[in-house]
């Protein structure tokens, strides 16, 4: 296996209502130290959840491949958050911003940027309004450096630098309809600039099949040419268990819909590979040839080498006490196995340290 490009620690991975396990991921470039700078991806849970995790897992931030018995300094949760240089938010629902808001007045370690699409940052501004919470964020670089600094990302094909050696491409997603209209979230391609290795991280998302103006397809098209060498890890939500009715999804996926989305990605991958093969064989004739429609068998194994990390499972009460992510991930695995897409489906669990 190639050397990892990133380390990711899961501070919280649930989709509510447990407020101690909400979307929050701490990311660093693999060959750097945590104290060199952290990118916080979502900020639902934060220092409180991390402090509890560190009591159980004091070595959570130790690197797996450290050699020569190097002794590590263990950091407290607030020290870890003082190393955060910037936050990256998919949308401003409370389960993704809660800890950022609550901790905004007490972060150590200098100015922190908050990156997101303009709408996400404007939504966050509604909270930092001096009404719901003191205004501890600003759009102006020259403002008090104790304030968070809003830093808007464009939704285009360009990669914007957001952290030392890390750039991001942002693609808007649909996350359900409300009284104001279509509500948006974001998918991010995070790229380690030096190795060009990427991972794909989804905000909350509704199935493309249920929306008037599908947008997730744009993400799959952008991903297709990168699998599996440049892009081998996707983090995506599956909030609900199998069988939940479409009118009760509230802008989220079920295992069946996730299976459909991954099949769409597989189709894009196959189309891309066929187009590349054809252009390699015969550049001139290529333009006149139409793709024959893909059938189910064409997708078999198309996602070989891809790891799909399932997150944002909503808690449910069960007599056997099994956590929601156990049930939902098992259902996703079955569907992907039945469709023979080839991807490996994994659960994202609070307290995991994932190398990407
Ligand atoms: Zn949401
Ligand atoms: Zn959410």
């Amino acid at each position: 296996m190639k050397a990892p490009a990133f380390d990711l620690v899961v501070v919280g991975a649930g989709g509510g209502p447990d407020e101690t396990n909400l979307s929050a991921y701490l990311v660093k470039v693999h060959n750097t130290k945590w104290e060199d700078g952290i990118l916080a991806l979502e900020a639902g849970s934060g220092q409180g959840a991390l402090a509890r995790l560190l009591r159980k897992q004091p070595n959570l931030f130790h690197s797996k491949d450290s050699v020569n018995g190097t002794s590590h300094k263990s950091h407290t949760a607030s020290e870890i958050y003082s190393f955060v240089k910037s936050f990256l938010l998919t949308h401003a629902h409370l389960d993704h911003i809660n800890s950022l808001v609550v901790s905004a007045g007490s972060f150590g370690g200098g100015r922190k940027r908050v990156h997101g699409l303009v709408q996400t940052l404007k939504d966050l501004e509604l909270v930092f309004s001096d009404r719901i919470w003191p205004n501890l964020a600003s759009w102006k670089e020259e403002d008090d450096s104790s304030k968070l600094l809003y830093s808007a990302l464009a939704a285009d094909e360009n990669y914007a630098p957001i952290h030392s050696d890390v750039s991001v491409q942002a693609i808007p997603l649909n996350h359900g309809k409300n009284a104001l209209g279509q509500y948006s979230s974001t998918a991010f391609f995070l790229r380690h600039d030096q190795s060009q290795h990427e991972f794909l991280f989804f905000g909350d998302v509704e199935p493309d099949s249920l929306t008037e103006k599908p947008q997730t397809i744009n993400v799959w098209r952008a991903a297709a040419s990168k699998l599996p060498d440049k892009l081998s890890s996707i983090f995506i939500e599956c909030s609900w268990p199998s069988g939940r009715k479409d009118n009760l999804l509230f802008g989220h996926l079920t295992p069946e819909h996730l299976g459909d989305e991954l099949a769409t990605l597989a189709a894009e991958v196959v189309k891309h590979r066929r187009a590349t093969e054809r252009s390699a064989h015969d550049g001139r004739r290529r333009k006149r040839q139409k793709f024959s429609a893909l059938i189910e068998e064409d997708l078999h194994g198309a996602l070989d080498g891809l790891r799909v990390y399932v997150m944002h499972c909503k808690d449910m009460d069960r007599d056997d006490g099994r956590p929601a992510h156990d049930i939902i991930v098992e259902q996703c695995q079955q569907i992907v196995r039945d469709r023979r897409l080839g991807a490996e489906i994994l659960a994202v669990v609070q307290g995991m340290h994932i190398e990407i």
Side-chain angles (χ1 to χ4, degrees):
M1 194 187 130
K2 265 198 302 194
F6 296 99
D7 290 279
L8 178 149
V9 163
V10 183
V11 177
D18 177 1
E19 83 283 4
T20 65
N21 183 18
L22 299 174
S23 300
Y25 304 87
L26 297 177
V27 178
K28 74 166 177 70
V29 171
H30 181 69
N31 58 13
T32 64
K33 297 195 185 80
W34 291 100
E35 45 268 55
D36 294 337
I38 296 175
L39 170 67
L41 188 47
E42 311 282 53
S45 288
Q47 292 182 48
L50 183 58
R52 272 187 297 277
L53 274 177
L54 286 172
R55 258 174 255 144
K56 282 187 287 180
Q57 298 169 249
N59 299 336
L60 184 57
F61 290 91
H62 294 185
S63 68
K64 288 180 187 167
D65 54 10
S66 65
V67 282
N68 307 330
T70 322
S71 72
H72 286 273
K73 184 182 176 319
S74 286
H75 297 291
T76 63
S78 67
E79 278 170 345
I80 290 287
Y81 272 88
S82 76
F83 304 148
V84 170
K85 299 263 190 261
S86 52
F87 290 85
L88 177 61
L89 305 176
T90 62
H91 64 303
H93 275 163
L94 277 178
D95 57 321
H96 299 249
I97 63 161
N98 180 53
S99 79
L100 173 62
V101 173
V102 173
S103 310
S106 50
F107 283 129
R111 162 164 277 170
K112 301 180 194 317
R113 286 175 183 267
V114 183
H115 301 274
L117 293 181
V118 176
Q119 189 60 59
T120 302
L121 302 182
K122 283 186 174 166
D123 291 345
L124 189 56
E125 244 188 322
L126 298 175
V127 181
F128 288 120
S129 60
D130 280 335
R131 305 288 308 177
I132 300 170
W133 202 247
N135 186 0
L136 297 167
S138 170
W139 292 93
K140 296 193 205 110
E141 195 109 24
E142 60 273 21
D143 268 0
D144 185 347
S145 70
S146 68
K147 286 189 169 189
L148 299 165
L149 187 64
Y150 296 121
S151 194
L153 292 167
D156 57 28
E157 69 277 14
N158 296 319
Y159 281 75
I162 54 160
H163 188 74
S164 176
D165 213 14
V166 179
S167 302
V168 68
Q169 184 193 3
I171 300 184
L173 299 170
N174 296 317
H175 180 19
K177 253 193 173 152
N178 57 30
L180 303 172
Q182 185 67 49
Y183 183 82
S184 290
S185 160
T186 320
F188 295 121
F189 286 94
L190 284 112
R191 185 182 71 191
H192 175 228
D193 294 328
Q194 199 191 331
S195 66
Q196 296 285 301
H197 197 85
E198 304 187 19
F199 70 97
L200 171 57
F201 185 92
F202 274 84
D204 299 355
V205 60
E206 70 179 328
D208 252 8
S209 59
L210 301 182
T211 181
E212 283 158 33
K213 196 171 154 260
Q215 298 206 85
T216 307
I217 182 67
N218 302 327
V219 181
W220 300 140
R221 288 196 176 124
S225 64
K226 300 171 181 169
L227 255 59
D229 292 339
K230 274 189 180 169
L231 174 68
S232 55
S233 298
I234 295 178
F235 291 76
I236 190 164
E237 73 132 287
C238 190
S239 296
W240 305 115
S242 277
R244 193 172 170 99
K245 293 212 175 73
D246 285 348
N247 62 341
L248 293 174
L249 299 184
F250 310 109
H252 295 291
L253 299 180
T254 60
E256 289 78 11
H257 284 296
L258 177 58
D260 288 343
E261 292 294 345
L262 291 176
T264 306
L265 169 62
E268 291 302 317
V269 168
V270 171
K271 281 191 229 167
H272 169 79
R273 286 179 188 161
R274 287 188 181 173
T276 324
E277 273 168 32
R278 226 173 287 179
S279 66
H281 286 133
D282 186 346
R284 275 171 303 166
R285 274 213 326 239
R286 182 172 72 98
K287 279 181 195 146
R288 264 181 251 142
Q289 284 181 347
K290 280 256 176 186
F291 288 113
S292 51
L294 295 174
I295 56 168
E296 199 75 21
E297 283 79 59
D298 292 324
L299 308 184
H300 290 174
L303 302 183
D304 279 344
L306 179 69
R307 285 184 296 275
V308 177
Y309 290 97
V310 173
M311 57 188 184
H312 203 275
C313 302
K314 288 191 184 283
D315 307 322
M316 45 182 157
D317 292 327
R318 285 176 57 94
D319 293 340
D320 62 6
R322 282 181 76 191
H325 60 77
D326 257 20
I327 315 287
I328 291 172
V329 168
E330 209 173 84
Q331 292 167 344
C332 295
Q333 287 168 337
Q334 188 63 50
I335 286 169
V336 170
R337 214 179 299 133
D338 289 347
R339 299 181 78 157
R340 296 168 65 182
L341 297 175
E344 184 183 0
I345 308 292
L346 300 148
V348 179
V349 182
Q350 189 172 39
M352 279 173 92
H353 180 157
I354 300 172
E355 291 182 341
I356 301 167

